[in-house]
Structures are given as C-alpha cells and as structure tokens.
Amino acid sequence: MKKNVPLSIIVPIYNVEKYIGSLVNSLLKQTNKNFEVIFIDDGSTDESMQILKEIMAGSEQEFSFKLLQQVNQGLSSARNIGILNATGEYIFFLDSDDEIESNFVETILTSCYKYSQPDTLIFDYSRIDEFGNALDNNYGHGSIYRQKDLCTSEQILTALAKDEIPTTAWSFVTKRSVIEKHDLLFSVGKKFEDTNFTPKVFYFSKNIAVISLRLYRYRTRPGSIMTSRPEFFSDDAIFVTYDLLDFYDQYKIRELGAVVGKLVMTTFVSFSDS
C-alpha cells in the first residue's frame, strides 16, 4: 500500500547538468518539507545524475525522494513513470531546468486547506534566463489570477483559450485521483505533450483554486525544445491537435471547443509554411 504524502513533485531529468543544482537547491529551501520528490533519469548522458546524487548525499533534506531510471524515452514517458510511482494526494510536474520559489509547497498546501481540497490549483510564474536573471514576459499572467473564489473548469478553460494562463504542465497542481480516475497520461514520443494533457486536467477538475503569486521560475535556455525550430515537430503538433479534437468530440462543451479552436489555428499558422 502506498504511504500517502500531501504532494508528489515529479522531476524528469535529461542532460541538464548546468541547471540541476539550482533545481535541487530550490527544493531543499522549501519552507514546508511535507512532500516527496520523484526524480526520473531519462537516460542522461552527461553528469546530471552524478551531480544530483552528490547534492542529495551531502544535504540534510527533510523530504522523501525516489531516484528512478529508464532508457531514454522522452519527457512524456518519464512523467508517466512519475505518475505511476507517486504517493501524494496532489501531483506537480517540475521541469529539471527550472526552479520553484522557496514558499511553493507551503503556499500550495495552505491553499489546499483554505479551499477545502480543490481538484486543481493554478499559480502564476516568472521567466528567467539560463543564468537565473529575470526576463520580461507577457504570456499568461491574465486577469484570472486575480480571482479570489474557486473557479469552475469552464472558467479556467476560457482563460486557457485566451492565453491568460500557460498550457504547460508545470502551471498547475492537481489531485492524483483526477489523473488516475480518468486515465490521464502524456502522449509518449511526442513534443507539445502539455497541449493535449493540460486541457483534459482542467476539464475534469470541477473546482479550481487560483493563486496570484508567481511561484514557478521558468528558464529559457539555448537548445531547449521551446527554442528549437518548430517545423521539425509539425507531425507531433498535428497529433496532439487531433487528440484534443477527439477529446472535444467526446465531451462537446463550448469552453473546451474554444481551446481546441485556438490550438487548430495556432497549429495551422505555425506550420503552414513548413
């Protein structure tokens, strides 16, 4: 039987030796230690795992953690492995080249209590460069973050369609039961895997808490998927678009349709010349 903790943080790792130290330090600095971390080595070929092991061995961390390994299968597969091994009531996906603020866990758990265990919580974020310096960013940060009461899935999907919140899997914390009940997993072997995962989580979350604080630090770095030429991944973009279209065809609510419509238009514009 799984021993439950309030929060499982899932961290896939692949060749991030320059950034893994910053990520782990942001975990060690958490003001609330009542969480577990699941590190999944996705077949790294650099010193990422060695650095991670040395930091963890030399620190007095007060949270539990697991170190899992697999042959390189990509981000989606690693996240799915994390889901299957998570014991937390809530799940959070943390990218291994990013960071979280020191009050991340404390704020999330306090908000869970305040809002009587909502299905999902969303929060704002800041953007940093490869050296950790703050960058300007206009994507997301919408008026939805000023919402004081619980939101419905329809409200959050509307905000998603308007680009008021990011589509990224790191932009929310959700109940493990939401993921497990509806068999939600990331599409293995595909880029843009957040695009057809996040809307499904929001659809099945009937009450969603909004936190106005910028709790996540998203790093923009050379060589990342997001800075690569998008035409290389046009087939993947088309795959996730059709997958979300199939999802909409099953549930057919207006707000979900708006998300799908935005995705179709974005895909068409981005790849029409590729």
Side-chain angles (χ1 to χ4, degrees):
M1 180 179 293
K2 294 181 178 180
K3 181 181 178 181
N4 291 341
V5 293
L7 177 65
S8 294
I9 299 178
I10 296 173
V11 186
I13 298 170
Y14 181 72
N15 291 356
V16 286
E17 60 185 8
K18 289 176 61 176
Y19 311 107
I20 190 66
S22 296
L23 173 133
V24 176
N25 284 331
S26 75
L27 293 169
L28 293 170
K29 292 177 181 177
Q30 290 302 301
T31 54
N32 186 313
K33 312 293 186 182
N34 197 10
F35 62 96
E36 70 171 0
V37 182
I38 304 173
F39 297 105
I40 306 98
D41 174 23
D42 185 37
S44 293
T45 58
D46 67 358
E47 297 298 317
S48 297
M49 295 308 296
Q50 184 62 32
I51 294 170
L52 170 62
K53 291 174 182 178
E54 289 177 359
I55 293 175
M56 298 305 289
S59 64
E60 296 182 0
Q61 71 278 351
E62 299 175 50
F63 55 85
S64 61
F65 70 95
K66 303 172 186 176
L67 259 175
L68 307 177
Q69 291 183 294
Q70 66 174 21
V71 175
N72 178 247
Q73 298 179 58
L75 178 63
S76 293
S77 175
R79 283 176 172 171
N80 291 343
I81 292 295
I83 291 171
L84 296 175
N85 284 274
T87 66
E89 181 177 1
Y90 287 86
I91 283 179
F92 170 54
F93 302 101
L94 172 57
D95 286 353
S96 56
D97 51 353
D98 295 337
E99 305 170 8
I100 52 177
E101 299 291 352
S102 60
N103 63 335
F104 179 92
V105 174
E106 182 173 1
T107 302
I108 292 298
L109 298 186
T110 298
S111 297
C112 287
Y113 176 79
K114 175 182 177 181
Y115 292 104
S116 301
Q117 308 303 113
D119 289 337
T120 295
L121 305 94
I122 67 171
F123 44 83
D124 211 344
Y125 76 103
S126 56
R127 184 165 165 255
I128 59 176
D129 65 16
E130 58 179 319
F131 306 107
N133 302 312
L135 296 172
D136 292 333
N137 184 40
N138 295 322
Y139 174 55
H141 316 304
S143 60
I144 192 69
Y145 290 105
R146 296 194 290 273
Q147 177 73 34
K148 300 298 183 182
D149 300 319
L150 283 171
C151 291
T152 63
S153 60
E154 290 83 2
Q155 287 175 289
I156 299 301
L157 287 170
T158 297
L160 189 64
K162 294 178 178 179
D163 283 336
E164 287 197 358
I165 56 178
T167 311
T168 51
W170 50 252
S171 66
F172 61 86
V173 171
T174 195
K175 280 185 174 177
R176 178 161 54 90
S177 60
V178 169
I179 292 175
E180 292 180 344
K181 179 180 179 180
H182 301 288
D183 296 320
L184 299 181
L185 292 173
F186 291 90
S187 300
V188 176
K190 306 296 180 183
K191 308 299 181 188
F192 314 108
E193 59 278 293
D194 297 3
T195 304
N196 63 328
F197 182 84
T198 298
K200 295 174 185 177
V201 171
F202 290 163
Y203 174 81
F204 289 121
S205 300
K206 299 311 176 187
N207 47 75
I208 301 173
V210 180
I211 301 171
S212 62
L213 299 176
R214 298 192 177 193
L215 298 177
Y216 194 89
R217 290 166 57 83
Y218 165 67
R219 190 186 308 275
T220 302
R221 63 183 178 91
S224 68
I225 292 171
M226 295 304 292
T227 57
S228 300
R229 295 177 63 189
E231 60 266 29
F232 292 161
F233 309 119
S234 57
D235 289 347
D236 292 349
I238 292 169
F239 173 88
V240 299
T241 299
Y242 274 103
D243 181 71
L244 202 55
L245 275 168
D246 289 343
F247 186 75
Y248 168 69
D249 191 54
Q250 183 177 0
Y251 294 101
K252 285 187 169 63
I253 68 164
R254 182 184 60 188
E255 294 81 5
L256 184 60
V259 174
V260 174
K262 186 199 77 169
L263 174 60
V264 170
M265 183 59 66
T266 301
T267 302
F268 176 78
V269 172
S270 298
F271 301 105
S272 58
D273 296 327
S274 60

